[in-house]
Amino acid sequence: MCTDDTRDPWLPDRLLRTERDLLMPLLRRTPEEAYELRTACPGWTARQVLAHCGAALVRIVEGRLEEGVFLPEANACDVAEREEWPVGRILDELERGLTEAGPVIADREDGCLDAVALGEWVHAGDVREAFGEPGAYCGAALDLALPLLSVTSRRRETPRLVGVLADRDDHPVSLGNPIEGRPAARFHGDAATLIRIYAGRPLVRTRYELTGAAEHELLIYR
């Protein structure tokens, strides 16, 4: 059974606004040619990832949430519509979305849009990694992302996992839902690697221990 009794409706807003303040200065000063670099998202450049992020958030802001809106086909259409936009316009839309989407997400009592905010943060990591920046899937907003991952992992019905994060003073995190007759899985590693596993990002050059679950069982974006 998935429970959301610990949901903080304003957590996505805090994450989005924090990420805005961290990410936008980097994006504004990055040379335009860097936006054509490939990311961990198959087939998408940094420019296309950011176009998707801005489009998704502004859809939330404007209430354009028709059925299937965040499925791959719809995402690809949003990106294609922005193919001729200058980079500056893409960044302006993204900044608007990061600023305005949080209160709309908070107003949704079902919490169904919370995972979008977490996804935006993960995509920021995709772009940082493509740009060769430190702190991809980690950084100053991690303290907001981890509790949102906890909520999202329960909503997405992943199995219970206790993670011991070596780069956070071995502080344990609890994710997913208990399954009768199955002990909780265990993870030992750094926080960024834990995020990579749940978000389905490449695990090249990572080092971790995972027992009691397979990586594919922990995916929150499928």
Side-chain angles (χ1 to χ4, degrees):
M1 177 71 68
C2 174
T3 61
D4 293 316
D5 53 343
T6 60
R7 178 185 181 244
D8 175 354
W10 288 98
L11 179 58
D13 180 60
R14 294 197 299 275
L15 178 60
L16 292 173
R17 287 175 179 269
T18 300
E19 192 55 48
R20 175 199 64 191
D21 294 343
L22 293 169
L23 182 65
M24 294 311 302
L26 168 65
L27 297 180
R28 298 287 188 188
R29 68 174 180 263
T30 297
E32 193 160 324
E33 58 268 21
Y35 286 87
E36 299 309 314
L37 291 170
R38 295 287 169 175
T39 70
C41 303
W44 276 8
T45 64
R47 183 185 188 282
Q48 290 168 322
V49 167
L50 295 169
H52 159 61
C53 287
L57 289 174
V58 170
R59 280 187 173 277
I60 291 172
V61 171
E62 297 178 350
R64 295 183 289 109
L65 299 174
E66 61 271 14
E67 186 176 353
V69 66
F70 294 134
L71 293 179
E73 296 81 3
N75 292 337
C77 286
D78 282 342
V79 171
E81 287 175 4
R82 289 155 177 77
E83 197 63 38
E84 302 302 321
W85 287 19
V87 169
R89 185 178 175 187
I90 290 173
L91 298 186
D92 288 345
E93 181 179 56
L94 175 62
E95 187 163 8
R96 178 194 173 196
L98 291 169
T99 302
E100 299 179 16
V104 181
I105 294 173
D107 281 344
R108 287 286 297 261
E109 293 184 1
D110 59 9
C112 286
L113 296 177
D114 291 7
V116 176
L118 181 62
E120 296 283 321
W121 181 79
V122 171
H123 278 317
D126 298 333
V127 172
R128 285 190 178 91
E129 187 166 65
F131 288 173
E133 293 286 326
Y137 317 112
C138 198
L142 182 64
D143 285 338
L144 299 170
L146 282 175
L148 193 52
L149 174 61
S150 181
V151 173
T152 302
S153 67
R154 294 198 305 274
R155 292 188 62 88
R156 299 299 170 91
E157 299 291 350
T158 64
R160 175 69 74 196
L161 177 141
V162 176
V164 178
L165 306 181
D167 55 342
R168 295 175 62 80
D169 299 323
D170 290 331
H171 181 70
V173 295
S174 180
L175 306 174
N177 302 301
I179 298 175
E180 185 176 357
R182 177 175 175 175
R186 300 283 172 172
F187 170 88
H188 291 263
D190 61 51
T193 300
L194 183 69
I195 296 291
R196 286 177 181 273
I197 290 172
Y198 276 85
R201 293 322 191 248
L203 294 164
V204 177
R205 297 196 304 274
T206 62
R207 181 177 295 175
Y208 64 94
E209 296 179 11
L210 176 64
T211 58
E215 286 84 354
H216 69 85
E217 294 181 277
L218 304 177
L219 291 175
I220 56 172
Y221 302 114
R222 306 186 185 193

